[in-house]
Amino acid sequence: MKLLATTTAIVALSIALAGCGAANTASNKATITSTTGNAAATATATAMPGSDSPDKAASNANAGTSQETAAMMVKYGMLSGSNKQISEGNVEIKDGKVMLTNFKTSKGPDLHIYLTKGKDVQMGKSLGKIDLEKSEQAFDLAGANLNDYDSVIIYCDKAHVTFGTADLTDTPMDKPATPSAMVTKTGMLSGSNKQISEGNVEIKDGKVMLTNFKTSKGPDLHIYLTKGKDVQMGKSLGKIDLEKSEQTFDLAGANLNDYDSVVIYCDKAHVVFGTADLS
């Protein structure tokens, strides 16, 4: 009987141990399965492409819209010389490009065209290098937003000098710029302030010519291109020779579209000796 009882107890213990092993095995399998599942989920999550935040997505959309709008905008301008340099021609911006036509400029070692705000080159955007020999040139906006700019500048990067500027507008120029070398204007001098000043004025081939010229003697007479006979805002073309009836002066880059008169002026006495309206 004792032997039977002992045998029964051993069998029962074996069964219990076997049950524990099965339970542990099942638990381990569940743990492994759970871990494997989590790893798969992590791998799946990692494999999925990330998406931008709503703010970033909106920002990207706005940037794209701005660039599209800039590419559709049309702007116009007319170049005029600066710092005694020649710079003339028409500026037209459309289809994402800046186009120069009837363009002419003084020679410079490293001329570039810039989009600027308030003609501030340091904060502007260089669009490319100017070809000194071409009267028609085009430059890509390269993603520039025209809402950020109001002018175009021809600038010498090497000498840090502005050769010409153009204010940008939304409306075409009433009269396209014509190179000054192709413009012809005439006038007739008459005296002012009890001074003698007479003769013919003819402007052509980029030069101002005086014929049958005669003037009162003055200590420092110069000839000026002016707008509304305003010498202070005018452009001096050179010193008058009191003895010559025929004299010639170079326009020196002056844009004749900016002037309507010629003035003979004494720089020393600040007196106008004669004027001529140009037509």
Side-chain angles (χ1 to χ4, degrees):
M1 293 293 292
K2 287 182 179 182
L3 178 60
L4 179 60
T6 300
T7 302
T8 301
I10 291 172
V11 172
L13 179 59
S14 297
I15 293 172
L17 290 174
C20 288
N24 288 337
T25 301
S27 175
N28 290 339
K29 285 184 178 179
T31 300
I32 292 170
T33 302
S34 175
T35 302
T36 303
N38 289 338
T42 301
T44 301
T46 302
M48 291 179 63
S51 58
D52 292 331
S53 67
D55 289 343
K56 186 175 181 180
S59 176
N60 291 339
N62 290 336
T65 301
S66 295
Q67 289 183 3
E68 289 176 5
T69 301
M72 295 172 62
M73 293 177 70
V74 179
K75 296 269 186 179
Y76 306 90
M78 186 179 292
L79 284 166
S80 60
S82 301
N83 300 305
K84 297 182 180 179
Q85 305 297 327
I86 295 172
S87 191
E88 56 189 42
N90 302 305
V91 179
E92 185 176 11
I93 303 178
K94 67 178 182 179
D95 300 329
K97 294 184 180 297
V98 178
M99 290 166 283
L100 302 181
T101 55
N102 295 325
F103 176 67
K104 181 181 178 183
T105 184
S106 300
K107 294 186 182 298
D110 194 20
L111 295 190
H112 286 71
I113 181 171
Y114 281 79
L115 279 175
T116 58
K117 178 86 170 177
K119 301 183 177 68
D120 182 358
V121 175
Q122 301 307 315
M123 298 299 291
K125 180 179 178 66
S126 175
L127 300 180
K129 192 170 184 178
I130 292 291
D131 188 325
L132 300 176
E133 307 301 327
K134 290 185 178 179
S135 63
E136 296 190 3
Q137 303 182 46
F139 305 86
D140 200 291
L141 282 178
N145 189 338
L146 286 182
N147 292 305
D148 298 334
Y149 305 101
D150 59 14
S151 46
V152 162
I153 286 184
I154 307 300
Y155 187 76
C156 179
D157 282 5
K158 187 170 184 178
H160 306 295
V161 173
T162 297
F163 274 45
T165 66
D167 292 316
L168 296 176
T169 68
D170 296 327
T171 56
M173 301 293 100
D174 292 336
K175 295 180 180 179
T178 303
S180 293
M182 298 173 61
V183 173
T184 299
K185 291 198 174 187
T186 58
M188 185 174 291
L189 284 166
S190 59
S192 302
N193 300 307
K194 299 181 180 180
Q195 306 297 325
I196 295 172
S197 189
E198 57 189 44
N200 302 308
V201 180
E202 185 177 15
I203 303 178
K204 68 177 182 179
D205 300 327
K207 297 184 181 298
V208 178
M209 291 167 283
L210 301 181
T211 55
N212 299 320
F213 176 67
K214 183 179 179 181
T215 184
S216 300
K217 293 185 182 296
D220 194 20
L221 296 190
H222 286 71
I223 181 171
Y224 281 79
L225 280 175
T226 59
K227 177 90 169 174
K229 302 183 177 69
D230 182 358
V231 175
Q232 301 306 315
M233 297 299 291
K235 180 179 179 66
S236 176
L237 300 181
K239 192 170 183 177
I240 291 291
D241 187 325
L242 300 176
E243 306 301 326
K244 290 185 177 180
S245 64
E246 294 189 4
Q247 302 182 47
T248 301
F249 305 88
D250 198 288
L251 284 177
N255 188 339
L256 286 181
N257 293 302
D258 298 333
Y259 305 102
D260 59 14
S261 47
V262 163
V263 171
I264 307 301
Y265 185 76
C266 179
D267 281 5
K268 188 171 184 177
H270 306 294
V271 174
V272 173
F273 274 44
T275 65
D277 292 317
L278 298 174
S279 61

